[in-house]
Amino acid sequence: DEADWGDDGDGGDDDGWDNNEDDQWNNQDDEVPEMDEEDSYVAKIQIYYNAEDKRKEDQKEALELYRQCVSAYEEWKSKYDSKEVQEEVDDDTITLAMKALVAETGILLNMGNEKDALLVYDRVFSFANDPAISESDFRSAVLGVLTAAADQRKRGVEAIIGVFDKALQKLEELGNQSLMDETSFRLCTLYSQEGDLKNAEQVLERVHKKCRKNGEDDLSKPDQLTEIYARLAQIRFESKSEDDSFLQHVYRKTRMLTTNVMDPKNDSIIKECWGKKFGNEGHWEAAFGHFLTAFKNYQTIGNNDSARRSLQYTVMANMLCDSTTENPFDQQEARAFDNDLDIKAIKDLRNAYEKCDVSRFKAAVEAIRPDWYMSKHLHAVVRDFHERAICDLIIPYQRVRVEFLSSSLGVRKEAVLDILIQLILDGRVNGRINEVEGILDLRQGRNTLSQLEKAKYRALSSWAYSIESARKSMPQPEGRRTGLGAMREQEFSDIQMGGATFDMMNVGSSHLGGAGPGRTLF
């Protein structure tokens, strides 16, 4: 009943409040100023939220509101330290003041006022030892300004490099090595994005010096060292300068490192380095495994360009493996590239390679657009395919003309002869070559050879085996299988693939007095 709100027989007014309660509030006047003062500081600091709302509409107005927020905090802090204010401001409100400084710095950078931005950024570091600020919040504040600075790189690195220098200076004073490393890595990324790879390497070298003990890597810092080598490798990838010595260096330095937390970004680059190193040495089974791991990690972090590149390397290594390995396209991650033209070309190449389909193999080679690493080893894939194709072509025959094999494969007769000699020495073809008539005679096997011929072939086979063993123990930048081919000229020349010209080996048999003029592969 509404009549019950009002006079309850105690002389109260009809406004629903007792006079006695009014007297009680009046008697508390001596407590009101302190509560009002504290609340006013909290309210002023929380004007940060108003600034956030205004930031997209009017940066100047938002900048003024952020400054009011910081001023309110600094006024409260001064009075609190001098005991003029007894009540404490909660940690979340103090954090808002630090966030306001970060936002103010970002706006000044966006306005091109780097000088004032550095002065404001300097004040952010005053919160480093404040117990109200968590370590993660302080880290986010410092890196947040660096992100805002990096977004302004369109004006040139010189315009924002001072922000990174200021961060490194203040963090060194605070002794925060972890955040210093992160800042240095971001500076390295900034230089790399601008194409200044020299300065990027110099930044990494400064970080690396702090991760060494007595001139050697400090293995108690595996995470930092892994990131240093990964970023250095990425720089070399971009400059196409990861030579054999560099790949060997990265492998030696990283194979003993066990990171506390595996970062797929770093691990993918390191594994790609390892794959290239083993591939250059002709150990394609190991290369296949590392390339496949790199591909999966690139997929995990969403780096599609690097994932595409690693998948191409994986397929190439898969074809060059001596033992049977899994089909990389059976991997679920590979299905995301089913419609990619570059991946479709190398997938067709692998299918033609498996089925020994010469015409399809030719078309796939011409469709591939290889990078420098694939170009370096693709001739080994072609060589392997020709060996497989010749073994397949001669099965029904007792005598085969070399010219027939040459026309079937689309390569010169001298190249076919060189391959046949290698196949005979490897024991994969049991026959003799009549060089005068240009015929491979398969009717006479090794059992019908004279003792002198047997001794000659055993000696040649032993010699070839020794060379192959020596080859496997040292880097082989020219491909997986050289054998007698170390003495030959180029096998293939100027194969057109996509929009690039690909120089294959133009083979000539030394016993024929050298090769004739080169021609296209197919």
Side-chain angles (χ1 to χ4, degrees), residues 6-8 10-13 15-24:
D7 189 356
D8 291 331
D10 55 1
D13 296 331
D15 57 5
W17 291 92
D18 288 340
N19 289 334
N20 292 336
E21 290 182 326
D22 289 338
D23 293 338
Q24 291 174 4

Side-chain angles (χ1 to χ4, degrees), residues 351-368:
N351 291 336
Y353 181 90
E354 280 190 333
K355 297 176 181 178
C356 226
D357 188 326
V358 175
S359 60
R360 287 181 60 190
F361 188 84
K362 167 194 171 180
V365 169
E366 292 175 346
I368 286 177

Side-chain angles (χ1 to χ4, degrees), residues 40-90:
S40 67
Y41 283 124
V42 172
K44 287 179 180 178
I45 295 173
Q46 290 183 344
I47 203 172
Y48 168 86
Y49 296 113
N50 296 37
E52 286 286 279
D53 292 337
K54 289 287 184 180
R55 187 167 183 175
K56 291 183 179 180
E57 301 174 6
D58 190 338
Q59 285 200 346
K60 290 185 178 179
E61 184 177 352
L63 181 63
E64 183 58 35
L65 292 174
Y66 284 128
R67 287 172 172 168
Q68 290 178 24
C69 168
V70 175
S71 296
Y73 163 75
E74 291 175 342
E75 182 181 347
W76 169 83
K77 184 84 166 61
S78 175
K79 290 186 176 182
Y80 178 77
D81 290 343
S82 62
K83 309 298 183 182
E84 294 181 44
V85 175
Q86 300 298 322
E87 297 294 331
E88 295 185 356
V89 172
D90 62 276

